[in-house]
């Protein structure tokens, strides 16, 4: 089992920045891919960014603004979000995938005001 706890969400004005953190515990050795997803009201959950063996992948909507990183020594993944837009408003979820399981955090709210 893997446990994921997100932190760092909040309210920010358009153009501002936030950094989300996802602390992982448990069977961390089994994790292959980690990522951030988000879900806005009335919309489906979507992939924001993922990282696997140092290789990163971003949704087109956040390329050049968001940066995903992972500190293996701290068992923590980050999402640095710059130049935030009102359309980035959503609940952001941390995700970890092993060969057999898909794990999710509880989510953290990010609200960007115009």
């Amino acid at each position: 089992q893997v446990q994921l706890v997100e932190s760092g969400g909040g309210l920010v004005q358009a153009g501002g920045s936030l950094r989300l953190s996802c602390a992982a515990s448990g069977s961390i050795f089994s994790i292959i891919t980690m990522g951030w997803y988000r879900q806005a009201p009335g919309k489906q959950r979507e992939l924001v960014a993922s990282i696997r063996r140092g290789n990163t992948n971003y949704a087109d909507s956040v390329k050049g603004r968001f940066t995903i990183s992972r500190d293996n020594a701290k068992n923590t993944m980050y999402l640095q979000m710059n130049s935030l837009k009102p359309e980035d408003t959503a609940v952001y979820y941390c995700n970890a995938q092993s060969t057999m399981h898909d794990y999710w955090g509880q989510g953290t709210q990010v609200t960007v005001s115009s």
Side-chain angles (χ1 to χ4, degrees), residues 6 9 17 23 26 28-29 32 38 41 43 46 50-53 55 60 62 65-66 82 87 90 92 96 101 114:
E6 301 105 332
S17 298
I28 299 168
F29 62 90
I32 299 173
R38 67 186 180 187
K43 295 188 177 181
E46 62 174 358
S50 63
I51 185 166
R52 175 176 175 159
R53 297 175 181 171
N55 295 313
D60 287 343
V62 306
R65 300 189 298 123
F66 291 11
N82 299 327
E87 51 264 43
Y92 283 70
H101 298 286
S114 57

Side-chain angles (χ1 to χ4, degrees), residues 10-30:
L11 173 64
V12 65
Q13 289 188 334
S17 298
L18 282 174
R19 188 177 80 156
L20 305 183
S21 299
C22 172
S25 61
S27 302
I28 299 168
F29 62 90
S30 68

Side-chain angles (χ1 to χ4, degrees), residues 2-108:
V2 173
Q3 294 78 42
L4 304 171
V5 179
E6 301 105 332
S7 61
L11 173 64
V12 65
Q13 289 188 334
S17 298
L18 282 174
R19 188 177 80 156
L20 305 183
S21 299
C22 172
S25 61
S27 302
I28 299 168
F29 62 90
S30 68
I31 296 174
I32 299 173
T33 303
M34 294 192 74
W36 289 97
Y37 288 72
R38 67 186 180 187
Q39 187 166 18
K43 295 188 177 181
Q44 289 188 332
R45 190 173 296 188
E46 62 174 358
L47 175 67
V48 176
S50 63
I51 185 166
R52 175 176 175 159
R53 297 175 181 171
N55 295 313
T56 59
N57 178 58
Y58 296 93
D60 287 343
S61 59
V62 306
K63 281 181 181 177
R65 300 189 298 123
F66 291 11
T67 302
I68 189 171
S69 61
R70 185 174 171 182
D71 186 334
N72 291 325
K74 296 182 177 180
N75 296 327
T76 301
M77 177 179 65
Y78 303 97
L79 185 68
Q80 178 67 43
M81 304 186 294
N82 299 327
S83 303
L84 282 161
K85 304 175 181 180
E87 51 264 43
D88 294 318
T89 295
V91 178
Y92 283 70
Y93 296 91
C94 174
N95 172 264
Q97 297 175 8
S98 67
T99 54
M100 297 290 290
H101 298 286
D102 211 2
Y103 302 97
W104 294 93
Q106 81 285 358
T108 185

